Amino acid sequence: MHTPAKMTDNRAEQGSYSFPAPAADAATRRPGRTNRTQHKLFNAALAIMSVKGPSSTTVEEVALAAGVSKGTVYYNFGSKKTMVDQLLQYGAQLLADQVVHGAQDDDPRAAVRGGVLAALRYLEEHPGFARLWIAETWKGPESWSATLIEIRGQLIEAIEKMLQRLSSRYSVDSSQDIRTMSVAIFGSIFMLSMDREVHSSPRSAEESVLPVMLMIDSYIKA
Amino acid sequence: MHTPAKMTDNRAEQGSYSFPAPAADAATRRPGRTNRTQHKLFNAALAIMSVKGPSSTTVEEVALAAGVSKGTVYYNFGSKKTMVDQLLQYGAQLLADQVVHGAQDDDPRAAVRGGVLAALRYLEEHPGFARLWIAETWKGPESWSATLIEIRGQLIEAIEKMLQRLSSRYSVDSSQDIRTMSVAIFGSIFMLSMDREVHSSPRSAEESVLPVMLMIDSYIKA
Amino acid sequence: MHTPAKMTDNRAEQGSYSFPAPAADAATRRPGRTNRTQHKLFNAALAIMSVKGPSSTTVEEVALAAGVSKGTVYYNFGSKKTMVDQLLQYGAQLLADQVVHGAQDDDPRAAVRGGVLAALRYLEEHPGFARLWIAETWKGPESWSATLIEIRGQLIEAIEKMLQRLSSRYSVDSSQDIRTMSVAIFGSIFMLSMDREVHSSPRSAEESVLPVMLMIDSYIKA
Amino acid sequence: MHTPAKMTDNRAEQGSYSFPAPAADAATRRPGRTNRTQHKLFNAALAIMSVKGPSSTTVEEVALAAGVSKGTVYYNFGSKKTMVDQLLQYGAQLLADQVVHGAQDDDPRAAVRGGVLAALRYLEEHPGFARLWIAETWKGPESWSATLIEIRGQLIEAIEKMLQRLSSRYSVDSSQDIRTMSVAIFGSIFMLSMDREVHSSPRSAEESVLPVMLMIDSYIKA
DNA sequence: AATGAATGAGCGTTCATTCAT
DNA sequence: AATGAATGAACGCTCATTCAT
């Protein structure tokens, strides 16, 4: 009797499901494997939890939406917490990838713009992920999983790296702490994403990136 | 025949307790009354919920911390939800007041700085409030109380007003949507506050205001 | 400090309130006394309990409807149980009086008809009482108060007496047990009353008395 | 994906348990299945509730008596109300069946007697059911479930049908409303049953049927 | 690999009752 | 005589988790 309960291999396969499948590396993928049930559960969990919040979402709801039984959730993830963690981990990796990918530009300013835009677009497409993450983060440090801390670090770091590149071509405001700016940018991005989804403000990613660029422009002109 | 449970008069008195007493209007206040129990509960709730989050905090914990019985919570607030709502409402009013008060300056730019600083300082002093609010907000629109929507409106509006004043003295970047900027600033402020508390980054309010001012400076130079 | 809490004198006064004031003996009545508050509570309790049942009715509801505070109920009755008991006792006395009064006829058959009619009319006018009584009775012997047993005895006895008079003028079916017939009649009366109120069947007391008279007619013709 | 909590299939099997098993149709029944837990709960609930009344009976008591946990009650019935409803529905069906079965006689008068006797005997054997039903009914129309209304209809209807057959062989008293008579008979039966159990009057069903037959005899001789 | 059934700790809420004023 | 405030025991219900099959 095989009991996975602590799976770590949760890459997507080429099935059709709402959470994005990782790009490329098709060559190395095993054809029909990589647990279909877990993906069904991921997507069901994401859909429901991003609406009701993870703590108000019951395991049964998720199981029902995924078309499996409650026991199956435990067979696959071992606990609710584990499921949420893995969901977060998966989504964050994807987001970080997007940012790095969007920031590929020779001009550092354009790179920042590209990275921020990529983040905004990702969050636009997967609003549930942002919601889920914030919900978990705001529970406070006591209840954070290692996963959560790691994720946040990745993202802030991705922003910091983009900012650091700026000084290679522009004269920057040395009085500004890069970490502080990263956090401010991070906050702007998230709040704009939330505002869009939660208050149904029809703001495009292009519009949302503008305030961030204002900040950048002051930074590099100083 | 007095039936609390739906109290609306929750003004503070000049006692010593951790949640700030509303400024001024001391003249009209009744001396020794104005529900002491509700304040004890407010403070206990704020202290605990800002650490564990409202949904993971039990009514009994709050009652215990306030030194009253569980029943007393229900006698005074009628439900857990009501208690949280009133807590939020109370704190938000105070925050909005602080922002308006901090923004009193003839120079619109200095006014923005003052307002943002005031907000940052308030959140620095009452980190629980910010945490609590975000936790509630991020539950998603379905579960929002009228209170929540109202609060958010007040705050965003306070920022918008400060931005609008800028165009009276400076030439501003007309391509920027004021609402979008407000949301971005709002996000920066909150994330900086959270970062400070949650990751114990020893950033002062003066440091935190800088990224926001960068944004403003680009805006008015455009 | 006077604490009545176990009052027994709960006769009505000449105020206007929905529970019927005892007829006659006006001469002996004390003018303005006999606790007005208790009457307000009686009527409020009867009104609410006959709709929701006594166990689902809270002391607070009754107090509210009577326009007094919860504490006042306890000051006046000592406990919820006592209040219900006294309510029952009061109503039952009135009903028994009505039956006896309605049965005043030289012809025993007409007397039965008169008694039954009187009961039906009383229950028609005070449906809450019947409901309340049954609710209490059906809780089972364990939870009966002495009051309840006494009341039932009075009523069944009143019916039995009427049946006994029949043999003085008619030849009766000696194979019938009078007690059994009384209970049967009692059941008919109650169920007809309940049916009328509870299913809003627009049956008059005159119609309802007919089945009972059929029973009587067989009894005296045998 | 099986979600009980709203079960409709609560037929009994041929096990030995205090609530009567439905007659016949043994052919179609699954051998060892047909939820044993629900039957244990039915019987425990009936036993306790008929003594203390449903509202004074706690779910925990029932669970304990049935030898399962509280959670199991909710797994099986979803709510206390549902459990009571299904209990009632089940018992009522059985009673109605008994009446119909007891009323099988070519002579309509004998059929009535048979039907009434069957009802009396059923209630004699299952006094808890009658008590439970009355307790629910007397809560008043506001709190009735559809179940309750349906049940009452079935039973009254069963009586009405027997009365209607009388006119096929006898000349009947056309001035009598059949509905009114049914209700009266219904009341007699119930009160006699209650009297027997609740006041431990050692009256046999044969004795109890007599008053009802008196009524019938007047009816058909008119 | 999956699941139906069961569990039990815990939570929000209710409400009869007490008591100082 | 009356009441506002507080209490605490108890209740209905939820839900993450376990486990035999």
Side-chain angles (χ1 to χ4, degrees), chain A residues 41-91:
Chain A
L41 284 168
F42 264 7
N43 287 313
L46 191 64
I48 301 176
M49 289 184 176
S50 64
V51 171
K52 310 178 54 175
S55 76
S56 303
T57 301
T58 71
V59 172
E60 183 142 43
E61 280 174 315
V62 174
L64 217 70
V68 299
S69 79
K70 226 197 306 196
T72 302
V73 174
Y74 284 86
Y75 176 72
N76 278 281
F77 294 102
S79 78
K80 184 184 175 180
K81 191 177 185 328
T82 304
M83 183 175 63
V84 173
D85 266 17
Q86 296 194 356
L87 200 50
L88 244 21
Q89 205 159 356
Y90 183 50

Side-chain angles (χ1 to χ4, degrees), chain C residues 37-222:
Chain C
T37 301
Q38 287 181 346
H39 278 302
K40 285 194 296 186
L41 284 167
F42 264 8
N43 287 313
L46 191 65
I48 301 176
M49 288 184 176
S50 63
V51 171
K52 310 178 53 175
S55 75
S56 304
T57 300
T58 72
V59 172
E60 183 143 43
E61 279 174 316
V62 174
L64 218 70
V68 298
S69 78
K70 226 199 300 199
T72 302
V73 174
Y74 285 86
Y75 177 72
N76 278 279
F77 293 104
S79 80
K80 184 183 176 181
K81 191 179 186 322
T82 304
M83 184 174 65
V84 173
D85 266 17
Q86 295 194 355
L87 200 50
L88 244 22
Q89 203 159 357
Y90 183 51
Q93 186 55 55
L94 253 22
L95 171 53
D97 288 352
Q98 292 284 346
V99 171
V100 169
H101 186 258
Q104 284 169 342
D105 197 304
D106 284 344
D107 175 20
R109 185 183 178 279
V112 170
R113 191 173 188 277
V116 171
L117 258 178
L120 284 163
R121 285 189 178 124
Y122 181 85
L123 295 174
E124 209 167 286
E125 282 165 39
H126 309 287
F129 169 68
R131 188 89 69 77
L132 187 55
W133 178 24
I134 297 284
E136 285 302 287
T137 303
W138 255 255
K139 276 187 190 169
E142 299 76 30
S143 56
W144 283 354
S145 53
T147 306
L148 223 37
I149 295 173
E150 188 187 338
I151 287 173
R152 204 199 96 103
Q154 284 180 345
L155 259 14
I156 293 278
E157 215 173 288
I159 299 177
E160 275 192 51
K161 272 187 188 146
M162 297 190 300
L163 294 182
Q164 276 157 353
R165 281 187 60 207
L166 287 170
S167 56
S168 67
R169 176 147 341 165
Y170 303 94
S171 73
V172 300
D173 182 347
S174 60
S175 72
Q176 298 288 341
D177 175 44
I178 285 193
R179 193 78 202 305
T180 303
M181 278 195 67
S182 299
V183 173
I185 289 172
F186 184 68
S188 293
I189 292 174
F190 264 87
M191 201 61 78
L192 286 162
S193 295
M194 281 299 102
D195 187 69
R196 215 187 144 277
E197 189 221 347
V198 144
H199 298 93
S200 30
S201 320
R203 195 163 22 236
S204 70
E206 275 76 17
E207 283 180 276
S208 294
V209 82
L210 288 174
V212 175
M213 293 318 290
L214 286 183
M215 203 185 292
I216 299 298
D217 287 337
S218 275
Y219 180 61
I220 62 181
K221 271 181 214 153

Side-chain angles (χ1 to χ4, degrees), chain B residues 3 6 14 38 65 72 78 109 123 139 144 146 162 183 206 220:
Chain B
T3 308
K6 287 285 170 190
Q14 66 271 55
Q38 287 182 346
T72 301
R109 185 181 177 282
L123 296 173
K139 278 185 187 168
W144 284 354
M162 297 191 301
V183 173
E206 276 74 18
I220 61 182

Side-chain angles (χ1 to χ4, degrees), chain B residues 153-190:
Chain B
Q154 284 179 346
L155 259 14
I156 293 278
E157 215 173 288
I159 299 176
E160 276 191 50
K161 272 187 188 144
M162 297 191 301
L163 295 182
Q164 276 158 352
R165 280 188 60 209
L166 287 172
S167 56
S168 66
R169 174 138 354 157
Y170 302 95
S171 73
V172 301
D173 182 348
S174 60
S175 72
Q176 297 289 339
D177 176 43
I178 285 194
R179 193 80 204 302
T180 302
M181 277 195 70
S182 299
V183 173
I185 291 173
F186 185 66
S188 292
I189 292 173
F190 263 87

Side-chain angles (χ1 to χ4, degrees), chain D residues 4-43:
Chain D
K6 288 284 169 189
M7 65 146 241
T8 45
D9 176 16
N10 48 352
R11 286 154 177 283
E13 56 174 322
Q14 68 270 53
S16 68
Y17 67 106
S18 71
F19 215 103
D25 76 282
T28 59
R29 234 175 300 125
R30 268 110 70 280
R33 259 200 85 277
T34 317
N35 214 329
R36 193 171 300 272
T37 300
Q38 287 182 344
H39 278 302
K40 284 194 297 185
L41 284 168
F42 265 7
N43 287 314

Side-chain angles (χ1 to χ4, degrees), chain B residues 1-2 37 68-69 71-72 75-76:
Chain B
M1 237 82 37
H2 165 73
T37 301
V68 298
S69 77
T72 301
Y75 179 72
N76 279 279

